[in-house]
Short mmCIF file of all heavy atoms in Angstrom, two decimals:
data_model
loop_
_atom_site.label_atom_id
_atom_site.label_comp_id
_atom_site.label_asym_id
_atom_site.label_seq_id
_atom_site.Cartn_x
_atom_site.Cartn_y
_atom_site.Cartn_z
N MET A 1 -2.74 -17.29 -6.83
CA MET A 1 -1.33 -17.12 -7.11
C MET A 1 -0.76 -18.30 -7.86
O MET A 1 0.15 -18.17 -8.63
CB MET A 1 -0.59 -16.89 -5.79
CG MET A 1 0.86 -16.54 -5.99
SD MET A 1 1.01 -15.06 -6.99
CE MET A 1 2.70 -14.71 -6.76
N THR A 2 -1.33 -19.46 -7.65
CA THR A 2 -0.85 -20.64 -8.35
C THR A 2 -0.95 -20.45 -9.85
O THR A 2 -0.06 -20.83 -10.59
CB THR A 2 -1.66 -21.88 -7.92
OG1 THR A 2 -1.54 -22.02 -6.52
CG2 THR A 2 -1.15 -23.12 -8.61
N ARG A 3 -2.03 -19.85 -10.31
CA ARG A 3 -2.20 -19.64 -11.75
C ARG A 3 -1.14 -18.71 -12.31
O ARG A 3 -0.64 -18.92 -13.40
CB ARG A 3 -3.59 -19.12 -12.04
CG ARG A 3 -4.67 -20.15 -11.71
CD ARG A 3 -6.02 -19.63 -12.01
NE ARG A 3 -6.21 -19.68 -13.45
CZ ARG A 3 -7.28 -19.27 -14.07
NH1 ARG A 3 -8.28 -18.78 -13.39
NH2 ARG A 3 -7.40 -19.35 -15.37
N ALA A 4 -0.77 -17.67 -11.56
CA ALA A 4 0.27 -16.75 -12.02
C ALA A 4 1.60 -17.48 -12.12
O ALA A 4 2.35 -17.31 -13.08
CB ALA A 4 0.38 -15.55 -11.10
N SER A 5 1.92 -18.28 -11.13
CA SER A 5 3.16 -19.05 -11.16
C SER A 5 3.16 -20.01 -12.32
O SER A 5 4.16 -20.19 -13.01
CB SER A 5 3.34 -19.82 -9.85
OG SER A 5 3.44 -18.94 -8.77
N THR A 6 2.03 -20.63 -12.58
CA THR A 6 1.91 -21.57 -13.69
C THR A 6 2.09 -20.83 -15.02
O THR A 6 2.78 -21.32 -15.91
CB THR A 6 0.55 -22.28 -13.66
OG1 THR A 6 0.43 -22.96 -12.42
CG2 THR A 6 0.41 -23.27 -14.79
N ALA A 7 1.50 -19.66 -15.14
CA ALA A 7 1.64 -18.89 -16.37
C ALA A 7 3.09 -18.56 -16.64
O ALA A 7 3.55 -18.64 -17.78
CB ALA A 7 0.80 -17.61 -16.29
N MET A 8 3.83 -18.20 -15.60
CA MET A 8 5.26 -17.92 -15.79
C MET A 8 5.99 -19.17 -16.25
O MET A 8 6.89 -19.11 -17.07
CB MET A 8 5.89 -17.42 -14.49
CG MET A 8 5.75 -15.96 -14.27
SD MET A 8 6.72 -15.41 -12.87
CE MET A 8 8.35 -15.99 -13.27
N GLY A 9 5.59 -20.31 -15.71
CA GLY A 9 6.29 -21.54 -16.04
C GLY A 9 5.98 -22.07 -17.43
O GLY A 9 6.82 -22.73 -18.03
N VAL A 10 4.81 -21.79 -17.96
CA VAL A 10 4.44 -22.36 -19.25
C VAL A 10 4.46 -21.36 -20.40
O VAL A 10 4.43 -21.75 -21.55
CB VAL A 10 3.04 -23.02 -19.21
CG1 VAL A 10 3.01 -24.17 -18.25
CG2 VAL A 10 1.96 -22.02 -18.90
N SER A 11 4.54 -20.09 -20.11
CA SER A 11 4.58 -19.09 -21.17
C SER A 11 6.01 -18.58 -21.34
O SER A 11 6.51 -17.81 -20.51
CB SER A 11 3.66 -17.91 -20.85
OG SER A 11 3.83 -16.90 -21.83
N PRO A 12 6.68 -18.98 -22.42
CA PRO A 12 8.05 -18.52 -22.63
C PRO A 12 8.15 -17.00 -22.75
O PRO A 12 9.13 -16.41 -22.31
CB PRO A 12 8.47 -19.20 -23.92
CG PRO A 12 7.39 -20.10 -24.33
CD PRO A 12 6.22 -19.89 -23.43
N ILE A 13 7.12 -16.37 -23.30
CA ILE A 13 7.14 -14.91 -23.45
C ILE A 13 7.12 -14.24 -22.09
O ILE A 13 7.92 -13.34 -21.82
CB ILE A 13 5.95 -14.44 -24.32
CG1 ILE A 13 6.10 -14.96 -25.74
CG2 ILE A 13 5.81 -12.93 -24.29
CD1 ILE A 13 4.89 -14.77 -26.62
N ILE A 14 6.20 -14.67 -21.22
CA ILE A 14 6.10 -14.08 -19.89
C ILE A 14 7.38 -14.35 -19.10
O ILE A 14 7.94 -13.45 -18.47
CB ILE A 14 4.86 -14.60 -19.15
CG1 ILE A 14 3.59 -14.13 -19.86
CG2 ILE A 14 4.87 -14.15 -17.69
CD1 ILE A 14 2.31 -14.78 -19.35
N LYS A 15 7.85 -15.56 -19.14
CA LYS A 15 9.05 -15.93 -18.40
C LYS A 15 10.25 -15.10 -18.86
O LYS A 15 11.00 -14.58 -18.04
CB LYS A 15 9.34 -17.42 -18.60
CG LYS A 15 10.49 -17.93 -17.79
CD LYS A 15 10.65 -19.43 -17.97
CE LYS A 15 11.80 -19.95 -17.13
NZ LYS A 15 11.96 -21.40 -17.28
N GLU A 16 10.40 -14.94 -20.16
CA GLU A 16 11.52 -14.16 -20.69
C GLU A 16 11.45 -12.69 -20.26
O GLU A 16 12.45 -12.11 -19.85
CB GLU A 16 11.54 -14.26 -22.22
CG GLU A 16 12.69 -13.50 -22.85
CD GLU A 16 12.68 -13.57 -24.37
OE1 GLU A 16 11.99 -14.44 -24.94
OE2 GLU A 16 13.37 -12.74 -24.97
N LEU A 17 10.26 -12.11 -20.33
CA LEU A 17 10.11 -10.70 -19.93
C LEU A 17 10.44 -10.49 -18.46
O LEU A 17 11.14 -9.55 -18.09
CB LEU A 17 8.69 -10.22 -20.22
CG LEU A 17 8.33 -10.00 -21.68
CD1 LEU A 17 6.83 -9.73 -21.82
CD2 LEU A 17 9.13 -8.85 -22.26
N VAL A 18 9.93 -11.38 -17.62
CA VAL A 18 10.18 -11.25 -16.18
C VAL A 18 11.66 -11.45 -15.88
O VAL A 18 12.27 -10.70 -15.11
CB VAL A 18 9.30 -12.24 -15.38
CG1 VAL A 18 9.70 -12.28 -13.92
CG2 VAL A 18 7.84 -11.86 -15.52
N GLN A 19 12.29 -12.43 -16.52
CA GLN A 19 13.70 -12.68 -16.28
C GLN A 19 14.57 -11.51 -16.74
O GLN A 19 15.52 -11.13 -16.06
CB GLN A 19 14.14 -13.97 -16.96
CG GLN A 19 13.64 -15.20 -16.26
CD GLN A 19 14.00 -16.48 -16.98
OE1 GLN A 19 14.18 -16.51 -18.19
NE2 GLN A 19 14.07 -17.57 -16.23
N LYS A 20 14.25 -10.93 -17.90
CA LYS A 20 15.01 -9.77 -18.40
C LYS A 20 14.92 -8.60 -17.44
O LYS A 20 15.92 -7.93 -17.15
CB LYS A 20 14.51 -9.35 -19.78
CG LYS A 20 15.02 -10.21 -20.90
CD LYS A 20 14.53 -9.69 -22.24
CE LYS A 20 15.02 -10.54 -23.37
NZ LYS A 20 14.54 -10.06 -24.67
N LYS A 21 13.71 -8.33 -16.96
CA LYS A 21 13.54 -7.22 -16.01
C LYS A 21 14.29 -7.48 -14.71
O LYS A 21 14.89 -6.59 -14.13
CB LYS A 21 12.05 -6.97 -15.71
CG LYS A 21 11.30 -6.37 -16.86
CD LYS A 21 11.78 -4.97 -17.15
CE LYS A 21 10.98 -4.34 -18.26
NZ LYS A 21 11.56 -3.08 -18.71
N ALA A 22 14.24 -8.72 -14.25
CA ALA A 22 14.94 -9.08 -13.02
C ALA A 22 16.44 -8.89 -13.18
O ALA A 22 17.10 -8.31 -12.31
CB ALA A 22 14.62 -10.52 -12.62
N LEU A 23 16.99 -9.35 -14.27
CA LEU A 23 18.43 -9.20 -14.50
C LEU A 23 18.82 -7.73 -14.64
O LEU A 23 19.85 -7.30 -14.11
CB LEU A 23 18.85 -9.98 -15.75
CG LEU A 23 18.88 -11.48 -15.61
CD1 LEU A 23 19.12 -12.15 -16.97
CD2 LEU A 23 19.94 -11.92 -14.62
N ALA A 24 18.01 -6.97 -15.36
CA ALA A 24 18.32 -5.55 -15.60
C ALA A 24 18.29 -4.74 -14.31
O ALA A 24 19.01 -3.74 -14.18
CB ALA A 24 17.34 -4.97 -16.61
N THR A 25 17.47 -5.15 -13.36
CA THR A 25 17.32 -4.37 -12.14
C THR A 25 17.96 -5.03 -10.93
O THR A 25 17.96 -4.47 -9.84
CB THR A 25 15.82 -4.17 -11.82
OG1 THR A 25 15.20 -5.44 -11.72
CG2 THR A 25 15.14 -3.35 -12.89
N ARG A 26 18.48 -6.24 -11.12
CA ARG A 26 19.10 -7.02 -10.05
C ARG A 26 18.12 -7.33 -8.92
O ARG A 26 18.47 -7.36 -7.75
CB ARG A 26 20.34 -6.32 -9.51
CG ARG A 26 21.43 -6.20 -10.53
CD ARG A 26 22.69 -5.66 -9.94
NE ARG A 26 23.72 -5.63 -10.97
CZ ARG A 26 24.69 -4.75 -11.01
NH1 ARG A 26 24.77 -3.83 -10.08
NH2 ARG A 26 25.58 -4.79 -11.96
N LEU A 27 16.88 -7.54 -9.30
CA LEU A 27 15.85 -7.94 -8.35
C LEU A 27 15.52 -9.42 -8.57
O LEU A 27 15.82 -9.98 -9.62
CB LEU A 27 14.58 -7.11 -8.53
CG LEU A 27 14.70 -5.62 -8.22
CD1 LEU A 27 13.42 -4.90 -8.61
CD2 LEU A 27 15.02 -5.38 -6.77
N THR A 28 14.88 -10.03 -7.60
CA THR A 28 14.43 -11.41 -7.76
C THR A 28 13.17 -11.42 -8.61
O THR A 28 12.52 -10.38 -8.81
CB THR A 28 14.11 -12.06 -6.40
OG1 THR A 28 12.97 -11.38 -5.83
CG2 THR A 28 15.28 -12.01 -5.45
N LEU A 29 12.80 -12.59 -9.10
CA LEU A 29 11.56 -12.70 -9.89
C LEU A 29 10.36 -12.27 -9.07
O LEU A 29 9.48 -11.57 -9.56
CB LEU A 29 11.38 -14.14 -10.38
CG LEU A 29 12.46 -14.66 -11.33
CD1 LEU A 29 12.16 -16.10 -11.71
CD2 LEU A 29 12.60 -13.80 -12.56
N LYS A 30 10.34 -12.66 -7.80
CA LYS A 30 9.23 -12.28 -6.92
C LYS A 30 9.16 -10.76 -6.77
O LYS A 30 8.08 -10.17 -6.81
CB LYS A 30 9.38 -12.94 -5.56
CG LYS A 30 8.20 -12.68 -4.65
CD LYS A 30 8.23 -13.25 -3.25
CE LYS A 30 9.33 -14.13 -2.84
NZ LYS A 30 9.23 -14.59 -1.44
N GLU A 31 10.31 -10.12 -6.62
CA GLU A 31 10.34 -8.66 -6.48
C GLU A 31 9.85 -7.97 -7.75
O GLU A 31 9.09 -7.00 -7.68
CB GLU A 31 11.75 -8.19 -6.13
CG GLU A 31 12.17 -8.56 -4.72
CD GLU A 31 13.65 -8.32 -4.46
OE1 GLU A 31 14.48 -8.48 -5.39
OE2 GLU A 31 13.98 -7.96 -3.33
N ILE A 32 10.26 -8.47 -8.90
CA ILE A 32 9.82 -7.88 -10.17
C ILE A 32 8.31 -8.00 -10.32
O ILE A 32 7.64 -7.06 -10.73
CB ILE A 32 10.54 -8.55 -11.36
CG1 ILE A 32 11.99 -8.05 -11.46
CG2 ILE A 32 9.82 -8.29 -12.69
CD1 ILE A 32 12.11 -6.55 -11.71
N ILE A 33 7.77 -9.15 -9.98
CA ILE A 33 6.33 -9.34 -10.08
C ILE A 33 5.61 -8.37 -9.14
O ILE A 33 4.61 -7.76 -9.51
CB ILE A 33 5.95 -10.80 -9.80
CG1 ILE A 33 6.47 -11.68 -10.94
CG2 ILE A 33 4.44 -10.97 -9.62
CD1 ILE A 33 6.45 -13.15 -10.66
N TYR A 34 6.14 -8.19 -7.95
CA TYR A 34 5.51 -7.27 -6.99
C TYR A 34 5.60 -5.83 -7.49
O TYR A 34 4.62 -5.07 -7.38
CB TYR A 34 6.14 -7.41 -5.61
CG TYR A 34 5.40 -6.65 -4.55
CD1 TYR A 34 4.08 -6.95 -4.25
CD2 TYR A 34 6.01 -5.60 -3.87
CE1 TYR A 34 3.39 -6.24 -3.30
CE2 TYR A 34 5.32 -4.88 -2.91
CZ TYR A 34 4.01 -5.20 -2.62
OH TYR A 34 3.32 -4.48 -1.69
N VAL A 35 6.72 -5.44 -8.08
CA VAL A 35 6.85 -4.10 -8.65
C VAL A 35 5.78 -3.91 -9.73
O VAL A 35 5.15 -2.85 -9.83
CB VAL A 35 8.27 -3.87 -9.23
CG1 VAL A 35 8.31 -2.62 -10.10
CG2 VAL A 35 9.29 -3.77 -8.11
N GLY A 36 5.56 -4.95 -10.53
CA GLY A 36 4.52 -4.88 -11.56
C GLY A 36 3.14 -4.65 -10.97
O GLY A 36 2.35 -3.86 -11.48
N ILE A 37 2.86 -5.35 -9.88
CA ILE A 37 1.57 -5.18 -9.21
C ILE A 37 1.43 -3.76 -8.69
O ILE A 37 0.36 -3.13 -8.83
CB ILE A 37 1.42 -6.20 -8.06
CG1 ILE A 37 1.44 -7.63 -8.59
CG2 ILE A 37 0.15 -5.93 -7.25
CD1 ILE A 37 0.35 -7.98 -9.56
N LEU A 38 2.48 -3.23 -8.09
CA LEU A 38 2.44 -1.85 -7.60
C LEU A 38 2.22 -0.86 -8.74
O LEU A 38 1.48 0.12 -8.60
CB LEU A 38 3.72 -1.52 -6.84
CG LEU A 38 3.94 -2.27 -5.53
CD1 LEU A 38 5.32 -1.95 -4.95
CD2 LEU A 38 2.85 -1.95 -4.52
N ALA A 39 2.87 -1.11 -9.88
CA ALA A 39 2.70 -0.23 -11.04
C ALA A 39 1.26 -0.28 -11.55
O ALA A 39 0.70 0.75 -11.93
CB ALA A 39 3.68 -0.63 -12.14
N ILE A 40 0.67 -1.45 -11.56
CA ILE A 40 -0.72 -1.59 -12.00
C ILE A 40 -1.64 -0.75 -11.13
O ILE A 40 -2.54 -0.08 -11.62
CB ILE A 40 -1.15 -3.07 -11.98
CG1 ILE A 40 -0.48 -3.83 -13.12
CG2 ILE A 40 -2.67 -3.21 -12.05
CD1 ILE A 40 -0.60 -5.33 -13.02
N ASP A 41 -1.37 -0.74 -9.83
CA ASP A 41 -2.19 0.04 -8.91
C ASP A 41 -2.11 1.54 -9.20
O ASP A 41 -3.02 2.29 -8.85
CB ASP A 41 -1.77 -0.21 -7.47
CG ASP A 41 -2.26 -1.55 -6.95
OD1 ASP A 41 -3.17 -2.14 -7.57
OD2 ASP A 41 -1.73 -2.00 -5.93
N LYS A 42 -1.05 1.99 -9.85
CA LYS A 42 -0.87 3.41 -10.15
C LYS A 42 -1.53 3.84 -11.46
O LYS A 42 -1.63 5.03 -11.74
CB LYS A 42 0.62 3.75 -10.22
CG LYS A 42 1.39 3.47 -8.96
CD LYS A 42 1.17 4.55 -7.94
CE LYS A 42 2.04 4.26 -6.71
NZ LYS A 42 1.68 5.07 -5.60
N LEU A 43 -1.95 2.89 -12.27
CA LEU A 43 -2.53 3.22 -13.56
C LEU A 43 -3.89 3.89 -13.43
O LEU A 43 -4.68 3.55 -12.55
CB LEU A 43 -2.71 1.96 -14.40
CG LEU A 43 -1.46 1.31 -14.97
CD1 LEU A 43 -1.83 0.00 -15.65
CD2 LEU A 43 -0.76 2.21 -15.94
N GLU A 44 -4.18 4.79 -14.35
CA GLU A 44 -5.50 5.37 -14.44
C GLU A 44 -6.45 4.30 -14.98
O GLU A 44 -6.05 3.43 -15.75
CB GLU A 44 -5.50 6.57 -15.38
CG GLU A 44 -4.68 7.73 -14.86
CD GLU A 44 -4.65 8.88 -15.85
OE1 GLU A 44 -5.30 8.81 -16.91
OE2 GLU A 44 -3.94 9.85 -15.57
N GLU A 45 -7.70 4.38 -14.61
CA GLU A 45 -8.69 3.36 -14.99
C GLU A 45 -8.77 3.16 -16.50
O GLU A 45 -8.82 2.03 -16.98
CB GLU A 45 -10.07 3.73 -14.43
CG GLU A 45 -11.13 2.69 -14.67
CD GLU A 45 -10.87 1.36 -13.96
OE1 GLU A 45 -10.20 1.37 -12.89
OE2 GLU A 45 -11.31 0.33 -14.46
N LYS A 46 -8.76 4.24 -17.27
CA LYS A 46 -8.87 4.11 -18.72
C LYS A 46 -7.69 3.33 -19.29
O LYS A 46 -7.86 2.44 -20.11
CB LYS A 46 -8.95 5.48 -19.37
CG LYS A 46 -9.09 5.41 -20.87
CD LYS A 46 -9.18 6.77 -21.52
CE LYS A 46 -9.29 6.59 -23.02
NZ LYS A 46 -9.11 7.82 -23.75
N ARG A 47 -6.49 3.68 -18.86
CA ARG A 47 -5.29 2.99 -19.35
C ARG A 47 -5.29 1.53 -18.92
O ARG A 47 -4.92 0.64 -19.68
CB ARG A 47 -4.04 3.71 -18.82
CG ARG A 47 -2.77 3.22 -19.42
CD ARG A 47 -2.69 3.62 -20.89
NE ARG A 47 -1.40 3.22 -21.39
CZ ARG A 47 -1.20 2.71 -22.59
NH1 ARG A 47 -2.20 2.60 -23.42
NH2 ARG A 47 -0.01 2.36 -22.97
N TRP A 48 -5.71 1.26 -17.70
CA TRP A 48 -5.80 -0.10 -17.17
C TRP A 48 -6.73 -0.93 -18.06
O TRP A 48 -6.40 -2.05 -18.44
CB TRP A 48 -6.28 -0.02 -15.73
CG TRP A 48 -6.65 -1.29 -15.03
CD1 TRP A 48 -7.82 -1.52 -14.39
CD2 TRP A 48 -5.88 -2.49 -14.86
NE1 TRP A 48 -7.81 -2.78 -13.83
CE2 TRP A 48 -6.64 -3.40 -14.12
CE3 TRP A 48 -4.62 -2.87 -15.30
CZ2 TRP A 48 -6.19 -4.66 -13.79
CZ3 TRP A 48 -4.17 -4.14 -14.97
CH2 TRP A 48 -4.95 -5.02 -14.22
N GLN A 49 -7.90 -0.38 -18.40
CA GLN A 49 -8.84 -1.11 -19.24
C GLN A 49 -8.26 -1.38 -20.64
O GLN A 49 -8.48 -2.44 -21.21
CB GLN A 49 -10.16 -0.34 -19.36
CG GLN A 49 -11.02 -0.41 -18.13
CD GLN A 49 -11.41 -1.84 -17.78
OE1 GLN A 49 -11.73 -2.65 -18.63
NE2 GLN A 49 -11.37 -2.15 -16.49
N GLU A 50 -7.51 -0.43 -21.18
CA GLU A 50 -6.88 -0.63 -22.49
C GLU A 50 -5.90 -1.81 -22.42
O GLU A 50 -5.88 -2.65 -23.32
CB GLU A 50 -6.14 0.63 -22.92
CG GLU A 50 -7.03 1.79 -23.28
CD GLU A 50 -6.26 3.08 -23.50
OE1 GLU A 50 -5.01 3.08 -23.44
OE2 GLU A 50 -6.92 4.11 -23.72
N TRP A 51 -5.10 -1.85 -21.37
CA TRP A 51 -4.12 -2.94 -21.23
C TRP A 51 -4.81 -4.27 -20.98
O TRP A 51 -4.38 -5.30 -21.48
CB TRP A 51 -3.14 -2.62 -20.11
CG TRP A 51 -2.10 -1.62 -20.53
CD1 TRP A 51 -2.04 -0.93 -21.70
CD2 TRP A 51 -0.99 -1.19 -19.77
NE1 TRP A 51 -0.96 -0.10 -21.70
CE2 TRP A 51 -0.30 -0.24 -20.54
CE3 TRP A 51 -0.52 -1.51 -18.49
CZ2 TRP A 51 0.86 0.37 -20.08
CZ3 TRP A 51 0.63 -0.89 -18.05
CH2 TRP A 51 1.31 0.04 -18.82
N ILE A 52 -5.89 -4.25 -20.19
CA ILE A 52 -6.65 -5.49 -19.96
C ILE A 52 -7.13 -6.05 -21.30
O ILE A 52 -6.97 -7.24 -21.58
CB ILE A 52 -7.85 -5.23 -19.02
CG1 ILE A 52 -7.37 -5.02 -17.59
CG2 ILE A 52 -8.86 -6.39 -19.10
CD1 ILE A 52 -8.48 -4.56 -16.66
N ASN A 53 -7.72 -5.21 -22.11
CA ASN A 53 -8.23 -5.65 -23.41
C ASN A 53 -7.11 -6.17 -24.30
O ASN A 53 -7.28 -7.21 -24.97
CB ASN A 53 -8.98 -4.51 -24.10
CG ASN A 53 -10.23 -4.10 -23.36
OD1 ASN A 53 -10.79 -4.87 -22.58
ND2 ASN A 53 -10.68 -2.87 -23.58
N GLN A 54 -5.98 -5.48 -24.32
CA GLN A 54 -4.85 -5.90 -25.16
C GLN A 54 -4.32 -7.26 -24.72
O GLN A 54 -4.12 -8.15 -25.55
CB GLN A 54 -3.75 -4.85 -25.08
CG GLN A 54 -2.53 -5.19 -25.89
CD GLN A 54 -1.41 -4.16 -25.73
OE1 GLN A 54 -1.62 -3.09 -25.17
NE2 GLN A 54 -0.25 -4.49 -26.23
N VAL A 55 -4.10 -7.43 -23.44
CA VAL A 55 -3.55 -8.68 -22.93
C VAL A 55 -4.56 -9.82 -23.10
O VAL A 55 -4.18 -10.94 -23.48
CB VAL A 55 -3.11 -8.53 -21.46
CG1 VAL A 55 -2.75 -9.87 -20.85
CG2 VAL A 55 -1.93 -7.58 -21.37
N HIS A 56 -5.83 -9.56 -22.87
CA HIS A 56 -6.84 -10.59 -23.07
C HIS A 56 -6.85 -11.05 -24.53
O HIS A 56 -6.92 -12.25 -24.82
CB HIS A 56 -8.22 -10.10 -22.65
CG HIS A 56 -9.28 -11.13 -22.87
ND1 HIS A 56 -9.35 -12.29 -22.15
CD2 HIS A 56 -10.30 -11.17 -23.77
CE1 HIS A 56 -10.36 -13.02 -22.58
NE2 HIS A 56 -10.96 -12.36 -23.57
N GLN A 57 -6.75 -10.10 -25.45
CA GLN A 57 -6.72 -10.46 -26.87
C GLN A 57 -5.50 -11.30 -27.20
O GLN A 57 -5.58 -12.26 -27.97
CB GLN A 57 -6.74 -9.19 -27.74
CG GLN A 57 -6.95 -9.47 -29.21
CD GLN A 57 -8.25 -10.20 -29.51
OE1 GLN A 57 -9.27 -9.98 -28.87
NE2 GLN A 57 -8.24 -11.07 -30.47
N MET A 58 -4.36 -10.99 -26.59
CA MET A 58 -3.15 -11.80 -26.78
C MET A 58 -3.38 -13.24 -26.31
O MET A 58 -2.95 -14.20 -26.95
CB MET A 58 -1.96 -11.19 -26.04
CG MET A 58 -1.49 -9.87 -26.61
SD MET A 58 -0.27 -9.07 -25.54
CE MET A 58 1.17 -10.07 -25.88
N GLN A 59 -4.08 -13.38 -25.20
CA GLN A 59 -4.39 -14.70 -24.67
C GLN A 59 -5.32 -15.46 -25.61
O GLN A 59 -5.11 -16.64 -25.91
CB GLN A 59 -5.03 -14.58 -23.28
CG GLN A 59 -5.53 -15.87 -22.68
CD GLN A 59 -4.42 -16.83 -22.28
OE1 GLN A 59 -3.29 -16.41 -22.05
NE2 GLN A 59 -4.73 -18.08 -22.20
N VAL A 60 -6.33 -14.77 -26.12
CA VAL A 60 -7.32 -15.40 -27.01
C VAL A 60 -6.66 -15.93 -28.28
O VAL A 60 -6.97 -17.04 -28.73
CB VAL A 60 -8.46 -14.41 -27.35
CG1 VAL A 60 -9.33 -14.92 -28.48
CG2 VAL A 60 -9.30 -14.13 -26.12
N ILE A 61 -5.73 -15.17 -28.85
CA ILE A 61 -5.10 -15.60 -30.11
C ILE A 61 -3.88 -16.49 -29.88
O ILE A 61 -3.25 -16.93 -30.84
CB ILE A 61 -4.76 -14.41 -31.02
CG1 ILE A 61 -3.75 -13.48 -30.38
CG2 ILE A 61 -6.02 -13.67 -31.42
CD1 ILE A 61 -3.29 -12.35 -31.28
N GLY A 62 -3.56 -16.74 -28.62
CA GLY A 62 -2.49 -17.68 -28.30
C GLY A 62 -1.08 -17.10 -28.28
O GLY A 62 -0.11 -17.83 -28.31
N GLU A 63 -0.96 -15.77 -28.21
CA GLU A 63 0.36 -15.15 -28.13
C GLU A 63 1.03 -15.38 -26.79
O GLU A 63 2.24 -15.43 -26.69
CB GLU A 63 0.27 -13.64 -28.39
CG GLU A 63 0.26 -13.28 -29.84
CD GLU A 63 0.36 -11.77 -30.03
OE1 GLU A 63 1.22 -11.13 -29.42
OE2 GLU A 63 -0.46 -11.25 -30.80
N ILE A 64 0.21 -15.45 -25.74
CA ILE A 64 0.79 -15.69 -24.41
C ILE A 64 0.11 -16.90 -23.78
O ILE A 64 -0.95 -17.31 -24.21
CB ILE A 64 0.64 -14.47 -23.48
CG1 ILE A 64 -0.81 -14.04 -23.31
CG2 ILE A 64 1.49 -13.33 -23.99
CD1 ILE A 64 -1.02 -13.00 -22.24
#
């Protein structure tokens, strides 16, 4: 969990997205992150793998 917290703190893109969702839904940052985790659990395996590949590529090229 420390790495996730660190990623939020050092990635302006991630921090901005989480903050926008929190404000839009009036939830705390922790609640928004948990909602995201619950949503991930609902994804079909194929879609999950597509998103994993997309996000990993963003990390590799330095977008996040």
